Amino acid sequence: MKIALLGNPGVGKSLIFNQLTGLGVEVNRYPGSSVALETGNVCFRKDRIEVVDLPGIYSLDGNSEEETLVRSFLEEGGADAIIGVLDASKLERNLYLFTQVAEFSPRMIVVVNMADLAEREGLVLDTSALTRRLGVPVLLTAASEGRNIDRILPLALSSAMVPDLSVPYDHHIEAALRSLEKTLGTTRPKNLLALQGTGDDPLLLGAAEGIAREIEQRHMMSVRQIIATNRHNFSREIAETVISNRDGKKSFDLDSVLTRVFPGVPILCAILFLLLLSVFVIGSSMEEMIVQAFASGIIDPFNVAGFSPFIQKIGFSVLVAIEAGLGIAFPFVFTFYIGLSLLEDTGYMTRAAFLADRAMHRLGLHGEAIIPMVIGFGCTVPAVMSLRILKTRREQTIAAFLITMVPCSARTVVIAGIVAAFVGLAWAFSIYLLILVLIVLTAVILSRITPGEQFGMIVEMAPLRRPQGRLVLKKSWLRIKEFLFIAMPLLIITSIGLGLFQYFGLIDAFQELVAPVTVTLLGLPGYASTAILFGIFRKELAFETLAVLAGTANLGSVMSSVQLYTFAIVSVLFVPCISTIAVLYKQLGARIAILTSVYSVILGLLIGAIINLLIK
């Protein structure tokens, strides 16, 4: 049995999904689409239930990938039951999407979430009245508190039904729908879409275009506007009959502080600074403890065990890789994801977008672009995937270049593990400042040479919430799993390969070939070139490979402060990892993927050479 969650962005749909499915979540592409869907399995009364988290959308009328995917999902009957998730505090707007979903006649129930927020705002929802109006079972929940979450699956499995609901459209629209259905035999949902110019049936679109033209001449407004107005009026009428207000104590409006230029912008800067500082401080402390314990407890005994040179080299490569992954990368990555999850769960990210709008406009973008850029601090791959929220090709192109320069968690491992640990905390922050300057300069240039039109921003403010520690840790764990189960095996395999290359002398040949760049131009030891090259697979591999080739995790004992600083700069700016390049290719095409890669290589080598020239 398959159940799908469907609703607007920000209604708590993904939180409900995580609470229903736990940690057994998979992310897969929907067939024929680049949109990723999260799916999870639940065992309920000895039956296996597959739960799908559909992308959050506001309407089914558009042509975005997300809207097209959800439409196709409904048309194909992709689930045995739909769980429509609504926000209790924004019921009227959420009902707009529900009226469209109901026209596809799926079996469904409605979960009205965020009951806690509605209660704080003094709103009272009559669930019985809403059940009668919608014709499906309605359940009131508060996912942040876990309230009634355990009742969702039993209700969906036992009581899901086809909504008994019909939007009273303008009589000209109704006549057009009957005419198309009678002459072409097409369904009501397809006819509604065709009247608005959406669909893939040329015959239907041609017939609907002529009828739509006549309706628009009569009403002096587009068919899309007429249909939207009818749906909005119907949604408002339902909301007004099922929601009442009671007197409640008016709470302090925190948004009056967070969304003002002052003190909102300083608060934003302070939050980002504290996030990075916590990653450096906590990560460095964890790194020191893990590395020391691993070295004294495992590596040192292995080195004196007296194995043959070949076994010694392979075994040492494996152990150093494990030490580098668990002791160097894991503390920084995990700490960052906890901080990012806290920001997401509080709802602060949309405030950051609002505050950044004016500054981002000067870079050729709008405030919403700050969201993929902040996501980029965690991982560049989902940041590039989130470029879909930017509506124009121009904005996506500019943002793609900038995101590939943002220090992701893997690059933070390089900065924190090398510069903060062996050079100094102030020097580590100077790298972020330098990258910020380069991002601004790059954006200013691109905003002037990239063709296309710039648009404004409309973004919904997510409600401010108190984050739940258990959910923050769960979300952080889901993100760190990629490192543990993908990056660690790759690191071990890479380390073994490097050990073999060293044993047979192949590393020396490569390093001699690129020595004019590595040694002469950048002032780095020869083996640093191999480490930088392996950073293409995953950025933290540059650091970890450097530790493997240097033969120690205490890099300060084998490289000078200037060399460590230069290596970190070049590694951070150098070509994006392979996963990022692949996603760029899929999202924006080969041209943009190649251009961003070439630009980052040139920029990394240029800045590294300048630093080497100025500081040495």
Side-chain angles (χ1 to χ4, degrees):
M1 176 129 184
K2 181 185 288 188
I3 291 175
L5 294 163
L6 194 159
N8 288 173
V11 298
K13 179 170 55 65
S14 295
L15 179 55
I16 292 174
F17 172 78
N18 288 330
Q19 290 177 326
L20 290 177
T21 58
L23 298 178
V25 178
E26 295 182 1
V27 179
N28 297 301
R29 300 264 182 221
Y30 188 78
S33 170
S34 64
V35 179
L37 292 182
E38 288 189 338
T39 61
N41 294 319
V42 182
C43 184
F44 181 76
R45 293 175 183 170
K46 299 183 179 180
D47 291 327
R48 176 178 170 273
I49 311 298
E50 182 180 357
V51 183
V52 181
D53 186 13
L54 293 171
I57 57 173
Y58 292 104
S59 168
L60 291 171
D61 295 333
N63 291 311
S64 71
E65 280 195 277
E66 290 82 0
E67 291 167 322
T68 303
L69 183 153
V70 176
R71 270 204 314 269
S72 300
F73 192 89
L74 292 171
E75 289 172 349
E76 297 166 3
D80 299 291
I82 299 290
I83 300 173
V85 184
L86 312 181
D87 181 349
S89 64
K90 301 179 179 67
L91 189 61
E92 178 184 330
R93 187 182 62 208
N94 287 194
L95 283 171
Y96 182 86
L97 175 63
F98 178 84
T99 62
Q100 294 178 278
V101 175
E103 287 164 346
F104 287 86
S105 301
R107 295 178 64 251
M108 64 187 304
I109 66 167
V110 165
V111 170
V112 182
N113 193 34
M114 298 189 181
D116 52 335
L117 180 62
E119 290 165 2
R120 288 198 298 270
E121 295 179 358
L123 301 176
V124 178
L125 176 66
D126 186 342
T127 54
S128 297
L130 186 59
T131 297
R132 291 193 298 271
R133 293 302 306 267
L134 302 184
V136 296
V138 174
L139 179 65
L140 195 62
T141 66
S144 61
E145 301 175 353
R147 190 194 308 176
N148 288 337
I149 299 300
D150 58 331
R151 297 176 55 190
I152 294 176
L153 280 179
L155 187 65
L157 295 174
S158 64
S159 305
M161 60 182 64
V162 176
D164 182 14
L165 181 78
S166 181
V167 178
Y169 291 111
D170 176 87
H171 66 282
H172 291 114
I173 300 294
E174 290 289 356
L177 294 174
R178 290 193 297 271
S179 175
L180 291 171
E181 184 177 1
K182 183 177 180 180
T183 55
L184 300 177
T186 46
T187 63
R188 184 181 178 89
K190 282 184 174 293
N191 294 338
L192 277 165
L193 291 168
L195 287 172
Q196 299 171 81
T198 300
D200 53 10
D201 185 338
L203 183 61
L204 175 59
L205 288 173
E209 183 181 4
I211 298 174
R213 196 179 300 116
E214 293 180 8
I215 296 175
E216 289 170 1
Q217 289 174 352
R218 288 175 176 270
H219 286 261
M220 300 301 292
M221 61 190 302
S222 70
V223 169
R224 185 178 293 272
Q225 290 172 321
I226 298 170
I227 291 175
T229 300
N230 295 156
R231 286 172 176 159
H232 278 299
N233 290 340
F234 187 56
S235 300
R236 183 187 305 115
E237 189 266 327
I238 293 176
E240 288 174 349
T241 60
V242 300
I243 291 181
S244 58
N245 289 285
R246 58 173 170 78
D247 293 332
K249 184 178 179 180
K250 186 175 179 60
S251 60
F252 172 69
D253 184 12
L254 190 56
D255 275 335
S256 64
V257 174
L258 295 178
T259 58
R260 291 178 182 268
V261 174
F262 184 84
V265 171
I267 290 174
L268 172 61
C269 295
I271 287 174
L272 294 179
F273 175 79
L274 289 173
L275 174 62
L276 295 177
L277 182 64
S278 65
V279 171
F280 288 154
V281 174
I282 298 173
S284 296
S285 301
M286 293 173 63
E287 173 199 2
E288 185 177 356
M289 291 187 295
I290 295 173
V291 168
Q292 287 181 356
F294 200 91
S296 60
I298 299 178
I299 292 182
D300 291 345
F302 177 82
N303 287 335
V304 299
F307 293 107
S308 67
F310 181 79
I311 298 298
Q312 171 73 21
K313 176 60 68 176
I314 298 300
F316 181 76
S317 298
V318 172
L319 292 178
V320 169
I322 296 174
E323 177 194 40
L326 294 181
I328 297 175
F330 176 77
F332 298 106
V333 176
F334 190 58
T335 304
F336 176 83
Y337 277 137
I338 288 177
L340 183 62
S341 298
L342 283 170
L343 288 180
E344 290 175 340
D345 283 13
T346 58
Y348 182 73
M349 296 294 282
T350 51
R351 276 84 186 162
F354 178 81
L355 287 170
D357 187 52
R358 181 176 297 180
M360 298 300 287
H361 263 285
R362 294 175 181 173
L363 304 182
L365 300 166
H366 59 63
E368 210 166 1
I370 197 70
I371 295 176
M373 293 190 72
V374 172
I375 293 174
F377 278 102
C379 181
T380 311
V381 172
V384 172
M385 292 173 63
S386 68
L387 288 176
R388 291 189 300 268
I389 69 174
L390 306 180
K391 303 305 180 186
T392 68
R393 175 79 177 187
R394 178 181 185 273
E395 292 174 339
Q396 291 177 354
T397 300
I398 295 173
F401 275 85
L402 305 187
I403 285 172
T404 55
M405 299 170 65
V406 171
C408 63
S409 59
R411 287 163 165 150
T412 296
V413 169
V414 176
I415 297 171
I418 293 180
V419 182
F422 301 110
V423 183
L425 195 60
W427 286 103
F429 276 107
S430 73
I431 293 181
Y432 284 94
L433 181 60
L434 175 59
I435 292 174
L436 176 62
V437 172
L438 293 173
I439 287 175
V440 171
L441 291 175
T442 301
V444 169
I445 295 171
L446 289 175
S447 66
R448 284 161 172 73
I449 65 174
T450 307
E453 190 176 355
Q454 185 172 356
F455 295 93
M457 178 189 72
I458 299 176
V459 64
E460 177 184 353
M461 287 290 184
L464 290 169
R465 307 185 190 93
R466 181 181 301 169
Q468 304 291 315
R470 180 177 58 85
L471 297 176
V472 167
L473 289 174
K474 182 183 291 187
K475 185 183 293 187
S476 302
W477 167 249
L478 288 172
R479 288 168 164 169
I480 201 67
K481 277 201 308 182
E482 179 189 5
F483 174 77
L484 292 177
F485 298 123
I486 297 178
M488 278 294 291
L490 178 61
L491 173 58
I492 293 171
I493 293 170
T494 303
S495 184
I496 293 173
L498 284 172
L500 291 173
F501 287 169
Q502 280 184 310
Y503 185 80
F504 292 110
L506 298 177
I507 288 290
D508 295 335
F510 171 76
Q511 290 170 178
E512 287 180 12
L513 181 65
V514 297
V517 174
T518 309
V519 179
T520 306
L521 183 66
L522 301 177
L524 299 174
Y527 55 79
S529 59
T530 304
I532 292 173
L533 183 65
F534 273 87
I536 297 175
F537 295 98
R538 284 182 67 93
K539 281 300 176 181
E540 67 267 29
L541 282 181
F543 178 19
E544 293 149 4
T545 303
L546 186 67
V548 172
L549 294 175
T552 176
N554 184 15
L555 296 174
S557 65
V558 294
M559 293 174 66
S560 69
S561 296
V562 175
Q563 288 177 321
L564 291 170
Y565 189 83
T566 303
F567 177 86
I569 285 285
V570 176
S571 298
V572 168
L573 291 176
F574 203 68
V575 63
C577 67
I578 288 177
S579 300
T580 299
I581 296 173
V583 174
L584 277 171
Y585 171 75
K586 191 154 192 176
Q587 293 283 107
L588 298 173
R591 179 172 171 271
I592 299 300
I594 293 172
L595 285 175
T596 53
S597 300
V598 171
Y599 177 72
S600 62
V601 170
I602 294 173
L603 189 64
L605 295 178
L606 177 63
I607 299 300
I610 292 174
I611 289 172
N612 177 51
L613 181 65
L614 294 177
I615 300 181
K616 72 176 182 178

